[in-house]
Amino acid sequence: PQLGFHPRAGKAQFVAQDGPVKLYATANREGGICYLVDEPWKPANAGDGGTCASRERAAVPISAGSLGGSFDVLVIGGRVADQRATAISFSTPTGKPIVRPLGADGFYVAQVPWSGRCPDADWAPAFVALVPDGEKLAEARIMLLEINRSGGRVMSCGGSVTPTGPGWDAPVG
């Protein structure tokens, strides 16, 4: 599979795993990071090209984005830049806590249970970088799913498929 805009494909490395879901990453020519998720429910010839974060989006202390999924799982991944961090904590759309270890270079990936329906409210959890004793090192609230309403009804939801930091909002549609 391809990894996105000018990736150094021969340099892609396995950087994190959550169960059978694996995350690979590489730098691109523009100084950003390209991500590719290997999901067991996707056939090898699915043609998924991954996604790339620009240099600016890759330079944030904590990033997160929806990198894939299926009918009952969302795959959230990103990176924590501070090398002292060993884990990332955030919550599901229903508020259930998730803690995952950081892999190589601070990358992480997490399978999040998913109902297949848009949540009732925007999903912008606080991503908390943790040190080995479980203490908070850094925190960033990152929008993962934004709700589009019409007449009070939820019409659609969406968010960035590229890991970003706080303040980078993706259009919904």
Side-chain angles (χ1 to χ4, degrees):
Q2 62 184 14
L3 285 171
F5 192 66
H6 299 124
R8 293 191 166 99
K11 302 288 184 181
Q13 299 288 319
F14 167 65
V15 293
Q17 184 169 354
D18 184 19
V21 175
K22 296 178 182 177
L23 177 63
Y24 295 85
T26 185
N28 66 12
R29 286 194 315 217
E30 293 75 26
I33 298 172
C34 296
Y35 299 81
L36 179 68
V37 176
D38 182 10
E39 301 160 306
W41 50 83
K42 276 197 230 168
N45 63 353
D48 184 357
T51 187
C52 293
S54 68
R55 178 189 315 244
E56 295 78 21
R57 289 183 181 214
V60 297
I62 299 175
S63 67
S66 179
L67 297 175
S70 69
F71 68 94
D72 63 349
V73 172
L74 280 179
V75 177
I76 304 300
R79 184 171 178 260
V80 175
D82 193 317
Q83 294 179 353
R84 297 173 295 169
T86 58
I88 189 81
S89 170
F90 65 100
S91 61
T92 68
T94 61
K96 180 181 173 189
I98 291 180
V99 178
R100 294 294 182 269
L102 299 181
D105 294 323
F107 288 95
Y108 67 90
V109 66
Q111 296 181 79
V112 176
W114 176 246
S115 68
R117 296 180 25 228
C118 293
D120 293 330
D122 292 345
W123 181 32
F127 284 81
V128 180
L130 304 170
V131 293
D133 67 1
E135 291 294 315
K136 178 170 98 172
L137 178 64
E139 180 176 328
R141 187 163 298 279
I142 301 171
M143 179 67 71
L144 293 177
L145 286 176
E146 192 172 357
I147 305 304
N148 182 8
R149 296 180 185 276
S150 177
R153 292 182 41 210
V154 173
M155 302 304 288
S156 65
C157 58
S160 178
V161 297
T162 301
T164 62
W168 295 92
D169 294 326
V172 175

